[in-house]
Amino acid sequence: MLFCCTIGAQAERKFNERPKLVVGIVVDQMRWDYLSRYYDQFGNDGFKRLIGEGYSCDNCQINYVPTVTAIGHTSAYTGTTPAFHGICGNDFFIGDKPVPCVGDDTVNTVGSDSNKGQSSPKKLLASTIGDQLRMHTDFRSKVIGVSYKDRAAILPAGRSANAAYWLDTKNVCFVTSTYYMEELPEWAKAYNLELKNNKKAQELNRKIGYDPICGTVTTDMAIAALKGEKMGKGDATDMLCISYSQTDVIGHEWGTRGEHTDGVYLQLDKDLGRLLKALDEQVGKGNYLLFLTADHGGAHNFQWMKDHKLSGGAWRIKEDVLGSDLEAYLKDKLGADLSIINGINSYRVFLNHGKIQELGLTVSQVKDVLIDYARQMPHVQFVMDFEKVNTWSVPDVLRSRALLGYHPERSGDLLLVLEAGWYEFWTGGSSPVGTTHGAWNPYDAHIPLLFYGWQVNHGSTSREVHITDIAPTITQMLHIQQPNACIGEPITEVTDSKD
């Protein structure tokens, strides 16, 4: 009887044990193969420490389209997809109105005199890991997001977060919005003063995202939050959400190969080492649970592909898609012009439903005409009507990812799937030597996923898991409820780790 009671007491203690701190890290535009590409150049304190002591899910896939920043950050922390969390892109349309995913003109900037703080999570329709943690602890847990980008700080932290901080590049300082507070805390003001004295950061100004130093100041701000808010030192588990954006900015500008991309990942490795050291000192090694992933990957530059006799190319939106040929086709078939199309965003066609009604047309008519036109376009492999995709003759992988990425009020009307290696190119906006992302293909959808720290054993798996499995894995380990629209499943190789 005594033996049974002892076992029962040990099980109860373990069930109620939690780490002092959860740390989520998203590296923007990080392809999974970068872990092996740079492994021999990494030091021992950053990525190698996470790989060598943690658990690596080597076949983590994004299970929806499009694969873009706002959606990736949101899906990792909510355990669900745009169909349920409603963040359908960095920008999208609601009705016929274009909206930025976190833009909010009902709030004001805190920390500078610019409008860079007019952002909030109000368009997010689902709860995050942090929201669930806050509710479980009667809001005693602190949840904070930090990033260069507003959306990358705000969306991971969730609607009930204590704070989110992002970089105002005009003034080179971290700001937040009145959604969270009326005044920056003293520790944040102190760090902004340090940043004002950072000569290189100030000289780069609006170009700071194009330099590895952006990751360094993001790390510094995260460490300042860790110390200033005494995270991991209270009686409830806290959560710190960090996103590194400089990798994405540099990838868009210079692509997946070359000195700029090499340099940013080697510097990030050093910054991760500093972050881990600070966590060890402030919280204690083994007392925090950490995961690292990406919001999406990135395609190789189309010219680089061509130079090496590989397939790929630039799908020029202004010239090849929304040009005079399409306008003539619409006039001939419908007596309409390009004004019936609000835009093309991440391979999705957003129709102007109001304009279509004005012209006495139906949305179905317009979609049929555009589908016929798109099927004739070079390098367009499939065209899907979101409302009919479940019955169309398309591969299951595309059907599933299209449906999971589709919100009926926010995702547009048609989805275009290009041949592998082809991607959207905006003349005047896209870099000819850079890259982009957004497609279903492995180069955009295969991302790193590392777990480290509290009750995580060393190991790896090649079993397919999804970005939506991160949130239920973390919440399972915390013994709290999953986010309220979660569709993912706990990764049992991590949750069932043995002491």
Side-chain angles (χ1 to χ4, degrees):
M1 176 66 75
L2 179 61
F3 176 76
C4 292
C5 291
T6 303
I7 293 295
Q10 288 175 344
E12 183 178 352
R13 282 199 300 272
K14 185 171 182 180
F15 193 84
N16 285 314
E17 285 177 351
R18 294 185 184 90
K20 294 180 178 180
L21 178 69
V22 179
V23 181
I25 300 173
V26 177
V27 182
D28 204 323
Q29 204 187 119
M30 184 175 182
R31 294 165 54 108
W32 172 76
D33 60 348
Y34 285 169
L35 288 176
S36 59
R37 176 173 174 78
Y38 295 114
Y39 187 83
D40 290 340
Q41 299 175 66
F42 288 147
N44 294 322
D45 302 325
F47 282 108
K48 275 188 177 179
R49 176 175 169 184
L50 298 181
I51 296 167
E53 299 179 26
Y55 196 91
S56 179
C57 296
D58 294 334
N59 190 19
C60 183
Q61 300 285 335
I62 294 175
N63 53 344
Y64 55 79
V65 287
T67 48
V68 298
T69 295
I71 303 177
H73 282 78
T74 308
S75 297
Y77 283 86
T78 62
T80 193
T81 68
F84 300 103
H85 62 56
I87 300 301
C88 296
N90 300 331
D91 306 280
F92 45 91
F93 288 83
I94 298 179
D96 290 322
K97 181 183 178 182
V99 294
C101 63
V102 293
D104 185 354
D105 59 12
T106 70
V107 299
N108 295 312
T109 304
V110 175
S112 82
D113 58 1
S114 77
N115 64 355
K116 297 297 184 181
Q118 290 193 292
S119 302
S120 83
K122 289 181 181 178
K123 296 184 187 73
L124 176 59
L125 304 180
S127 66
T128 62
I129 302 168
D131 289 329
Q132 296 301 137
L133 184 60
R134 297 257 296 150
M135 286 188 282
H136 190 85
T137 62
D138 293 327
F139 300 94
R140 289 179 290 113
S141 295
K142 292 181 181 179
V143 177
I144 294 174
V146 177
S147 182
Y148 164 85
K149 296 180 181 179
D150 56 356
R151 56 186 176 269
I154 290 169
L155 296 170
R159 292 180 65 106
S160 72
N162 299 82
Y165 303 98
W166 55 95
L167 202 60
D168 173 355
T169 56
K170 177 183 176 182
N171 293 294
V172 194
C173 64
F174 279 91
V175 297
T176 187
S177 84
T178 51
Y179 178 89
Y180 303 100
M181 63 189 73
E182 295 296 325
E183 185 177 0
L184 288 179
E186 291 304 315
W187 64 261
K189 291 179 183 178
Y191 180 67
N192 276 339
L193 284 175
E194 288 183 32
L195 199 49
K196 288 295 181 185
N197 293 322
N198 187 319
K199 186 176 179 181
K200 184 176 181 180
Q202 295 299 322
E203 288 176 351
L204 285 165
N205 196 258
R206 294 177 189 266
K207 291 288 188 179
I208 191 171
Y210 294 85
D211 192 277
I213 195 178
C214 180
T216 300
V217 301
T218 300
T219 303
D220 290 342
M221 182 63 175
I223 293 172
L226 175 72
K227 295 178 179 179
E229 296 291 345
K230 297 181 172 58
M231 300 186 78
K233 292 185 177 297
D235 61 352
T237 301
D238 297 323
M239 184 166 194
L240 181 58
C241 310
I242 308 167
S243 177
Y244 290 102
S245 308
Q246 73 282 359
T247 45
D248 182 71
V249 178
I250 286 171
H252 279 294
E253 187 68 15
W254 289 291
T256 61
R257 292 292 185 267
E259 61 178 331
H260 294 92
T261 300
D262 295 348
V264 76
Y265 278 96
L266 297 183
Q267 180 58 48
L268 175 59
D269 180 56
K270 295 175 183 176
D271 289 327
L272 285 175
R274 290 195 304 112
L275 176 65
L276 292 171
K277 181 180 179 182
L279 289 167
D280 290 345
E281 293 172 350
Q282 294 297 310
V283 186
K285 187 175 181 180
N287 290 329
Y288 56 91
L289 171 62
L290 180 150
F291 69 85
L292 182 148
T293 190
D295 52 350
H296 54 75
H300 292 309
N301 175 262
F302 69 88
Q303 190 58 55
W304 185 86
M305 295 285 282
K306 287 180 177 180
D307 290 345
H308 294 279
K309 301 180 181 180
L310 296 163
S311 62
W315 196 60
R316 301 177 189 275
I317 302 295
K318 291 182 180 178
E319 299 89 337
D320 301 337
V321 186
L322 296 175
S324 57
D325 289 349
L326 176 56
E327 186 144 35
Y329 192 85
L330 292 175
K331 185 175 182 180
D332 177 56
K333 300 293 183 180
L334 298 170
D337 58 26
L338 289 172
S339 65
I340 64 171
I341 302 173
N342 280 326
I344 294 180
N345 180 313
S346 299
Y347 311 100
R348 298 165 300 175
V349 180
F350 289 80
L351 297 179
N352 187 325
H353 290 224
K355 183 67 175 180
I356 289 169
Q357 188 175 20
E358 270 181 40
L359 294 172
L361 301 169
T362 67
V363 171
S364 181
Q365 278 179 289
V366 174
K367 285 198 286 190
D368 288 345
V369 167
L370 287 173
I371 288 168
D372 287 341
Y373 181 82
R375 282 174 171 164
Q376 302 170 35
M377 293 180 65
H379 311 296
V380 174
Q381 202 163 19
F382 297 97
V383 188
M384 289 182 272
D385 180 342
F386 276 120
E387 293 184 339
K388 300 176 181 178
V389 68
N390 207 33
T391 60
W392 282 28
S393 297
V394 296
D396 287 342
V397 64
L398 296 182
R399 180 183 296 109
S400 172
R401 295 188 188 196
L403 287 171
L404 287 172
Y406 174 62
H407 187 285
E409 297 175 357
R410 300 182 176 191
S411 292
D413 301 274
L414 303 175
L415 176 67
L416 306 173
V417 179
L418 307 186
E419 294 172 359
W422 287 79
Y423 56 78
E424 289 180 340
F425 188 90
W426 293 88
T427 302
S430 299
S431 167
V433 296
T435 187
T436 192
H437 49 85
W440 70 272
N441 308 74
Y443 45 79
D444 284 351
H446 186 188
I447 55 174
L449 176 56
L450 304 171
F451 293 91
Y452 173 84
W454 184 81
Q455 292 194 0
V456 175
N457 287 345
H458 175 56
S460 65
T461 181
S462 293
R463 180 174 70 85
E464 181 174 327
V465 300
H466 302 123
I467 191 171
T468 49
D469 296 334
I470 297 170
T473 300
I474 296 297
T475 53
Q476 180 82 11
M477 295 181 76
L478 297 179
H479 297 290
I480 64 175
Q481 187 55 271
Q482 296 175 352
N484 60 14
C486 182
I487 64 169
E489 298 182 0
I491 301 168
T492 55
E493 294 91 333
V494 178
T495 59
D496 295 351
S497 289
K498 304 249 186 333
D499 292 337

